Amino acid sequence: MSWLNWFWDEHQLLLQQCFSIPFGFLFYFLATFGFLSLRCRYLYMCIGGFILAVITMGIYSILLFTSVFIFVVLVCTVDHRSLHKWVFGVQMLWQTLFVYLKKAVRLTLSLNGLSLSESYEVLLPVISYILNFTALLGGPLCIFAHFVSFIEGIDVNPPPNPSCVVSVKLVQVFLLEYLRYSFLLIVNYTYNSNLIYGVISMWAIAMVLRLHYYAHWQISECLNNAAGLGFCGTKAGCTDWSGLSDGGFWVTESSVCISEFARRWNATTANWLRRLVYKRCKYFPLPLTFGFSLWWHGLRVGHCIGFSIWAATVNVDQYIQRNWLPKLSAAWMKAICVSLSWITTQIIITCIVIICVPSVTNLLLSCMSTTKNATQKNLSH
């Protein structure tokens, strides 16, 4: 029983999303076979998110529902020409105060002059989008227009059966968790040793934490795919379900420069930040984008230092990519440059993760405790 409790505590969020996958499949089959009307599809997503929030968040789900209620009040009372600014400002104030809710509303609606029934028809898709159970716990960030297009068109032009792709991605989640525990063994073996082992240990700790994100993004992608979300056509005769991918392990970790890593890491949110901030800023777009992302994540000291390092290194990397790399003509020089750039990227990301993620301290203490216990056992023998 203690083993089961440990397993649940260690993988609670992953298991909660796994248990939601059958409900995603149920939505897909009911919707594609025409058993759900348009209104019922929105209600399915909305009620599913409500139940999932209550079960997983408990009393803290009140924060989510309060945010939804405030948004509905704003939509019904604020003039549509200034609605986006009001929603954005109130949401970011809420974000700053509680550092909790990660789903701001990024759309402008006009409800002026609509009847009660018409307002209901407009509000239902929005509330369904906010409480969508497939993205409530771990994302990914789906554009509102894509969400509405999917819900309205799933019975007319349904995506192919997602059973196979979900099965494959679930196996990948298992492999990512297995790889994460392999790196934990490396940490336990190399921690509290000489300098070289210490460097390897720090890199392995950062990799453990990144693998934790990769696994959660992959299970979130599974849940969305199970409901039919994320399909983006056929490529080379194979169905492509990567439309809502936040970044695969191999693709992201093979990034040979820090700016490329920044684009691939948490890809749906990175694309949103690019649209929302980077492309709209005439002056200093890169610092402002990272500054807004810092505000979004919470203005902690570690985050301030980590995001500042990240922004500075991306800026330097972009300069190198524009001015230095084109001057390299020999293939061997480019190969050396790419190799050194990949190593540098890994070092920078390791430093940023160590600085930003508070759970590093707990992991270090755990490793110290494990090492100490192992040493004591060896001495006793």
Side-chain angles (χ1 to χ4, degrees), residues 9 16 110 249 268 300:
D9 292 338
Q16 287 168 344
S110 174
F249 170 73
T268 58
R300 302 185 184 93

Side-chain angles (χ1 to χ4, degrees), residues 182-191 201 204-205 208 363 367 371:
S182 299
F183 274 98
L184 273 175
L185 293 177
I186 294 175
V187 173
N188 287 329
Y189 179 76
T190 58
Y191 184 77
S201 179
I205 287 173
V208 166
L363 184 57
C367 294
T371 306

Side-chain angles (χ1 to χ4, degrees), residues 38-39 42 115-126:
L38 179 59
R39 181 176 295 182
Y42 282 124
S115 65
L116 182 61
S117 60
E118 290 173 326
S119 300
Y120 172 80
E121 293 299 330
V122 173
L123 284 174
L124 182 59
V126 177

Side-chain angles (χ1 to χ4, degrees), residues 5 11 80 82 102 127 141 145 158 160 167 180 191 204 222 238 244 278 292 304 323 355 362 367:
N5 291 334
H11 304 89
H80 71 279
S82 57
K102 303 292 184 182
I127 297 174
L141 198 157
S167 301
R180 186 166 75 95
Y191 184 77
C222 286
C238 299
L244 291 177
Y278 189 83
F292 178 79
C304 292
N323 299 286
I355 292 170
N362 295 330
C367 294

Side-chain angles (χ1 to χ4, degrees), residues 24-284:
F25 278 124
L26 181 62
F27 172 82
Y28 172 82
F29 288 112
L30 290 176
T32 53
F33 284 104
F35 292 109
L36 293 177
S37 65
L38 179 59
R39 181 176 295 182
C40 288
R41 283 173 239 156
Y42 282 124
L43 287 173
Y44 188 106
M45 291 291 191
C46 181
I47 295 173
F50 179 87
I51 296 171
L52 185 62
V54 172
I55 292 175
T56 58
M57 303 176 191
I59 191 65
Y60 297 104
S61 60
I62 294 175
L63 296 175
L64 173 63
F65 302 142
T66 303
S67 182
V68 175
F69 174 76
I70 292 172
F71 170 74
V72 171
V73 170
L74 288 173
V75 169
C76 295
T77 57
V78 176
D79 183 76
H80 71 279
R81 287 169 293 186
S82 57
L83 176 61
H84 186 273
K85 295 178 181 178
W86 271 94
V87 171
F88 186 79
V90 171
Q91 177 62 38
M92 290 311 298
L93 177 62
W94 184 261
Q95 179 82 2
T96 304
L97 291 174
F98 294 98
V99 196
Y100 176 78
L101 188 61
K102 303 292 184 182
K103 287 177 72 75
V105 179
R106 294 164 283 272
L107 37 105
T108 303
L109 298 170
S110 174
L111 292 178
N112 290 2
L114 296 184
S115 65
L116 182 61
S117 60
E118 290 173 326
S119 300
Y120 172 80
E121 293 299 330
V122 173
L123 284 174
L124 182 59
V126 177
I127 297 174
S128 177
Y129 171 72
I130 299 173
L131 293 178
N132 172 21
F133 77 95
T134 65
L136 186 67
L137 295 182
L141 198 157
C142 177
I143 299 174
F144 177 72
H146 291 177
F147 176 78
V148 172
S149 176
F150 164 75
I151 295 294
E152 293 181 351
I154 188 173
D155 58 335
V156 178
N157 187 25
N161 192 319
S163 302
C164 291
V165 69
V166 171
S167 301
V168 171
K169 290 182 179 181
L170 283 174
V171 173
Q172 292 174 352
V173 172
F174 172 79
L175 293 176
L176 286 169
E177 284 296 290
Y178 179 80
L179 187 61
R180 186 166 75 95
Y181 281 101
S182 299
F183 274 98
L184 273 175
L185 293 177
I186 294 175
V187 173
N188 287 329
Y189 179 76
T190 58
Y191 184 77
N192 204 21
S193 300
N194 58 37
L195 178 61
I196 296 176
Y197 279 136
V199 172
I200 295 174
S201 179
M202 289 297 102
W203 173 76
I205 287 173
M207 185 60 73
V208 166
L209 294 165
R210 297 206 295 277
L211 283 165
H212 181 76
Y213 281 98
Y214 291 129
H216 282 281
W217 289 339
Q218 192 77 332
I219 196 68
S220 297
E221 196 176 341
C222 286
L223 178 54
N224 280 270
N225 291 165
L229 283 159
F231 177 68
C232 50
T234 303
K235 295 181 181 178
C238 299
T239 55
D240 185 1
W241 286 88
S242 62
L244 291 177
S245 175
D246 267 324
F249 170 73
W250 295 113
V251 174
T252 307
E253 292 300 326
S254 63
S255 302
V256 295
C257 60
I258 189 66
S259 56
E260 187 177 52
F261 189 98
R263 289 192 297 270
R264 292 175 175 178
W265 176 262
N266 200 0
T268 58
T269 301
N271 291 333
W272 172 66
L273 287 170
R274 189 176 183 84
R275 294 192 306 270
L276 180 72
V277 184
Y278 189 83
K279 290 185 176 181
R280 299 188 183 191
C281 292
K282 295 181 180 179
Y283 305 102
F284 310 110

Side-chain angles (χ1 to χ4, degrees), residues 339-351:
S339 300
L340 292 175
S341 181
W342 179 83
I343 294 171
T344 304
T345 299
Q346 290 292 311
I347 293 172
I348 293 170
I349 293 300
T350 297
C351 293

